[in-house]
């Protein structure tokens, strides 16, 4: 991380300088009002709190932060996002790492006993730099709250405030909130984002509803401390029994806790699971029967819940009806837009990715960097992702609920098919399969061959490099911070050492003279909107720092200090050359454009200066 740019400041570098109007009671007018402190709301709040000039507030109907329960799966892709927010290491340290998954089925000789029939690596090699982990949703909230508290906005949620209604006007949204004492509070917001869960009041205020299967599936879930001789108690395990249903067992952080999901009954339309009076003893009994012949003695129940969930999707994620040509003011994200089973551990992850997609777009518009039309892309991009999620979940949930096949060719599912499906969809559940369709923000693939390992529309897949100036081994993806900036990685062609006649220096001159000044407000650092970095093919000791093009050693901040973190070389010592790993055309090099939410927006030749200018001009406001 970089700090001291505007002068030496002692103490915690994560504690940002406070904006003049930061903190304080809820003002009557805000730029963004976020409703709901779940993973979606907190991701968005953490993102927006990074911008001192944007007045963001987040309200939550509960009296304080979540303490336990709810979701716990954190996909590899989400860890990349946590890296951008700066708390990936904290999660890795605390979490349970899902290294392997095992599969159990009834013993052929005695169907009342369960036996292991498969054990596999959970995430395929090389798919992502960070592990798939399990950590209580409440801890994820804590990490976000920490970032918000130390941000320029000193953002702390306003608890005990419930959204009651909203009215969209010409220049903003009038929001009615109710305090715990019943008092009404009015706030005017330029934008409102409903991250208020499956029963979203914001969604209802927009006249939208979740559509899909009207019946809910009831789920029992318990986090327990248990004494057991089940050998895979510290592995994620899918256990299917002959006649008692199935359980998903998920070891939890701390070495002792374990989560058990028990699938219960399908409810009738509009039936609430609470009416069935399901007890934790029933869940424990089901787990004990399914785990037979192993003992499972529950010593303490840390949290348990029965909840109902349907596979449903909202047709729009904003307030603009189909056929109406205007920019949106109100958005919904997370469970407010899509609900599905917990079987694939996607709920928290996809919700956070919704918010990550929206956060930088709102910031760009509110900071005057992009026209409000940019906000239309949120529904377009995320609704497609959610649709895929619902389809995937429907298939996966059906597979896990299906009775076991008794004879070849008979009805039901064979346990080996379950394992095979799990492996086949590993990239999807890791969160790395999302691909945005071509649009103003996502280029078409004419030049994809220049960087085959950075598919356009998919998340930027980091790879090892050595930072030139200080020889630090790192992942190139670590340069992607959640700061709303675009990144442009220029991969040098063979032999190009940054000298004035080479392709890289020519690109840097074109960027400095034309592209960057067009979109960067006067007086701001040259990398404040588009951050240009370069990767050379040379070993890091074979390049002279002082010979780099000036754009790669920019003078920044109040003191005009140089930024030494723009140039990288392959990590040849580790034997993992990024040019080979990501299929970069060594002869020609290329430019890889990366969005603020870490997705690859474009791949272009080094010489495509005009195409770069046009690409950014397609959605950014020119300041020139
Ligand atoms: C009881 C429960 C148990 C769950 N268990 C699991 C599980 O075991 N495994 C799993 O994978 N997923 C589980 N989930 C789902 C998972 O937690 C969600 O997918 C994930 O939290 C979605 O995040 P979100 O931010 O969209 O919504 P949520 O986490 O639901 O957050 C919404 C927030 O908005 C607040 N809110 C709602 N209405 C208003 C209002 N009108 N005004 C102000 N605030 C409001 C809520 O209090 C809540 O804090 C569970 C969800 C619930 C509710």
């Amino acid at each position: 991380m970089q700090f001291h740019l505007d002068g030496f400041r002692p103490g915690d570098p994560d504690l940002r300088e406070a904006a003049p109007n930061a903190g304080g009671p809820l003002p009557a007018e805000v730029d963004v009002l976020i409703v709901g402190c779940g993973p979606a709301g907190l991701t968005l709040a953490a993102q927006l709190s990074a911008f001192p000039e944007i007045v963001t507030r987040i309200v939550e109907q509960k009296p304080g932060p979540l303490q336990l329960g709810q979701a716990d799966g954190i996909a590899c892709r989400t860890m990349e996002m946590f890296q951008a927010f700066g708390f990936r290491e904290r999660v890795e340290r605390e979490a349970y790492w899902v290294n392997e998954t095992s599969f159990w089925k009834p013993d052929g000789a005695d169907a009342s006993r369960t036996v292991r029939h498969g054990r596999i690596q959970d995430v395929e090699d090389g798919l992502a730099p960070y592990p798939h982990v399990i950590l209580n949703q409440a801890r994820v909230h804590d990490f976000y709250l920490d970032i918000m508290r130390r941000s320029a906005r000193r953002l702390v949620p306003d608890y005990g405030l419930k959204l009651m209604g909203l009215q969209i006007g010409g220049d903003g949204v009038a929001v009615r909130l109710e305090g715990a004492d019943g008092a009404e509070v009015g706030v005017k917001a330029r934008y409102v984002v409903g991250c208020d869960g499956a029963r979203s009041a914001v969604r209802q205020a927009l006249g939208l509803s979740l559509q899909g299967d009207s019946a809910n599936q009831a789920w029992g879930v318990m986090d327990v401390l248990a004494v057991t001789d089940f050998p895979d108690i510290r592995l994620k395990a899918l256990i299917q029994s002959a006649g008692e249903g199935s359980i998903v067992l998920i070891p939890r952080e701390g070495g002792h806790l374990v989560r058990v999901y028990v699938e219960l009954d399908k409810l009738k339309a509009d039936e609430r699971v609470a009416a069935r009076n399901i007890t934790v003893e029933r869940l424990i009994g089901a787990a004990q029967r399914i785990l037979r012949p192993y003992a499972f003695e529950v010593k303490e129940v840390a949290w348990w819940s029965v909840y109902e969930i349907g596979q449903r999707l909202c047709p729009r994620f904003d307030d603009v009806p189909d056929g109406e040509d205007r920019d949106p003011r109100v958005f919904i994200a997370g469970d407010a837009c899509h609900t599905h089973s917990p079987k694939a551990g996607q709920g928290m992850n996809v919700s956070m990715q919704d918010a990550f997609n929206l956060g930088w777009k709102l910031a760009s518009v509110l900071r005057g960097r992009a026209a409000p039309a940019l906000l239309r892309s949120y529904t377009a991009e995320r609704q497609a992702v959610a649709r895929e999620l619902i389809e995937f979940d429907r298939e996966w949930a059906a597979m896990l609920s299906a009775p076991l096949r008794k004879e070849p060719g008979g009805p039901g599912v064979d346990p080996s098919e379950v394992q095979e499906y799990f492996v086949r969809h590993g990239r999807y559940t890791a969160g790395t399969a999302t691909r945005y369709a071509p649009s103003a923000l996502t280029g078409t693939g004419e030049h994809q061959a220049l960087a085959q390992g950075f598919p356009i529309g998919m998340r930027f897949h980091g790879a090892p490099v050595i930072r030139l100036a200080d020889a630090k081994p790192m992942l190139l993806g670590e340069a992607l911070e959640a700061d709303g900036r675009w990144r442009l990685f220029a991969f040098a062609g063979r032999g190009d050492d940054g000298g004035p006649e080479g392709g890289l220096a020519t690109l840097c001159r074109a960027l400095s003279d034309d592209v960057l000044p067009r979109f960067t407000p006067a007086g701001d650092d040259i990398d404040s909107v588009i951050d240009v970095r370069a990767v050379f093919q040379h070993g890091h000791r074979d390049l002279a720092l002082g010979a780099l093009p000036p754009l790669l050693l920019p003078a920044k901040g109040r003191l005009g200090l140089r930024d030494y973190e723009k140039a990288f070389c392959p990590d040849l010592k580790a034997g993992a050359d990024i040019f080979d790993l990501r299929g970069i055309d060594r002869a020609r090099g290329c430019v890889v454009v990366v969005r603020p939410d870490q997705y690859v927006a474009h791949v272009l030749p080094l010489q495509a200066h005009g195409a770069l200018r046009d690409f950014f001009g397609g959605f950014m406001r020119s300041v020139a």
Side-chain angles (χ1 to χ4, degrees), residues 35-41 59-62 70-72 137 161-163 195-198 201 221 259 261 303 305 307 333-336 342 345 347-348 351:
V35 185
C37 275
V59 295
E60 164 60 50
Q61 64 184 6
K62 293 194 190 123
Q70 301 198 195
D72 57 8
Q137 180 174 329
L161 277 180
K162 182 173 182 172
L163 178 128
C195 302
D196 48 347
V221 50
R259 168 166 288 195
Y261 280 111
W303 175 79
S305 171
Y307 72 110
D335 276 14
M348 174 157 67
S351 299

Side-chain angles (χ1 to χ4, degrees), residues 466-469 471 495-499 536-548 568-570 572-573 577:
I466 304 275
R467 198 160 58 197
L468 177 62
D496 188 343
D497 60 1
F536 295 90
Q537 297 191 30
H538 300 66
H540 66 280
R541 290 188 185 155
D542 303 329
L543 278 184
L545 186 72
L548 290 180
F568 304 87
C569 296
L572 300 174
K573 200 160 117 193
D577 188 324

Side-chain angles (χ1 to χ4, degrees), residues 87 90-91 94 135 139-147:
F87 62 84
R90 293 179 75 184
V91 173
E94 234 177 82
L135 186 66
R139 289 299 288 151
V140 174
H141 289 193
D142 288 345
F143 296 135
Y144 277 128
L145 290 168
D146 213 25
I147 288 177

